[in-house]
Amino acid sequence: MRQSLVIGNWKMNGSLGLTSELLHAIEDAIDDKISCEIGVCIPFVYINVAQQLVKQTAIKVGAQTVSEYQSGAYTGEVSAEMLAEVGCKWVLVGHSERRTLFNESNLLLVEKVLAAQAARLVPVYCVGETEADYKSGVTFDVIKEQVEALLSNQAVDLDQLVLAYEPVWAIGTGLTASPEEAQKVHAFIRGLVKEKNIKSAERLQILYGGSVKPDNALSLFGQRDIDGGLIGGASLDANAFISICQKA
Ligand code: PGA
C-alpha cells in the first residue's frame, strides 16, 4: 500500500508572517482524520524559519527547485546539500513554470534529480502536457518523453523519487483533468516505470496537480494510481489545504 502524499507548492508567494501563519494554521488543524504525508515546498528564504516551526509536527518542508551543481561559482544558485542541511525533505524538479519560463530541459532536469538524490533529498519530478499538446492528442507522447528522459538514466534511484503529473492547462486555471483522464495518465506513467522495475513502480507515489481543490480532491485521489496531490493556489489557504489533506 502506498501512503498518500499532499505537497503544497507556494510558488513565489508569501512572507515571513504568512509562513508562520499558514504553518501554524495547518498544524492546528491536523487531526486523526489525516493520515497522509504533508509537505510544503516554499521559497528558499523561508525554509529555515519554516523548518523551526514544523519541527515537532507532521509537516515536512521542501524547496521548489535546486541547482544541478554541487558548489562553486554559480551566483544565485542553491545546492541540494544546502537544502538538506536546512532540513528539506523534498524538492520540486521540472515544474512546468520552470520548464517554460526558465527553459529547463529534460536533460538539465535529470541532472537536478541526480543532484537532489545525491544529497538524500527526494525529488518530485513534474511532467505534463500543454494545452496545445492536449488538444492535438499527443499527451501520452509528451509524458513518455519527459518520463523516459529520467528512466533512461541508470543513475536515477527509482526508490528515492516522487512523480507528479500536472497538465499545464490545468495549472492555476480552475480546469482539471477528469479523474478518469488523470488516472489513465497515471497508470501510463506507472507502466513506464514498471518496465524498469516492477517493485519500484508499485512503491512510487505519483501525485496529481492542476487546480486541485477541496471539492474535486476526493474523486481524483480515489483513482487507483493517484497517490495524492501537488497543490498550488489552494495550498495558500490553510482550510482548503487541510481539507484536501483529509481527502487524501
Ligand atoms: P494550482 O497549481 O493548484 O494552482 O493549479 C498547481 C501547481 O502549479 O503545482
Side-chain angles (χ1 to χ4, degrees), residues 79-218:
S79 76
E81 283 294 345
M82 293 171 186
L83 295 177
E85 190 185 6
V86 291
C88 282
K89 169 161 185 178
W90 290 285
V91 61
L92 305 182
V93 175
H95 186 280
S96 75
E97 286 147 23
R98 301 295 316 176
R99 288 179 184 268
T100 52
L101 303 174
F102 302 94
N103 292 320
E104 294 189 349
S105 66
N106 281 329
L107 209 65
L108 171 72
L109 296 170
V110 174
E111 286 179 35
K112 292 189 178 219
V113 164
L114 293 173
Q117 291 186 334
R120 313 302 303 160
L121 298 173
V122 179
V124 180
Y125 180 75
C126 307
V127 299
E129 82 284 6
T130 63
E131 185 179 17
D133 297 332
Y134 178 69
K135 285 195 169 146
S136 49
V138 294
T139 296
F140 289 90
D141 304 284
V142 172
I143 300 300
K144 183 168 184 186
E145 194 186 332
Q146 293 171 343
V147 174
E148 289 290 355
L150 192 67
L151 298 181
S152 62
N153 189 309
Q154 303 299 330
V156 171
D157 181 351
L158 299 177
D159 295 321
Q160 198 191 328
L161 179 73
V162 169
L163 290 189
Y165 168 55
E166 300 199 295
V168 179
W169 50 271
I171 295 178
T173 58
L175 303 170
T176 43
S178 70
E180 297 73 24
E181 251 178 332
Q183 162 59 24
K184 273 191 201 148
V185 179
H186 280 238
F188 176 69
I189 294 173
R190 200 178 304 284
L192 293 173
V193 181
K194 242 178 212 159
E195 288 170 18
K196 289 278 157 194
N197 187 316
I198 294 179
K199 283 212 172 99
S200 300
E202 290 300 340
R203 279 194 290 258
L204 181 71
Q205 290 165 312
I206 308 178
L207 310 182
Y208 174 81
S211 297
V212 177
K213 302 280 182 273
D215 60 356
N216 60 22
L218 196 59

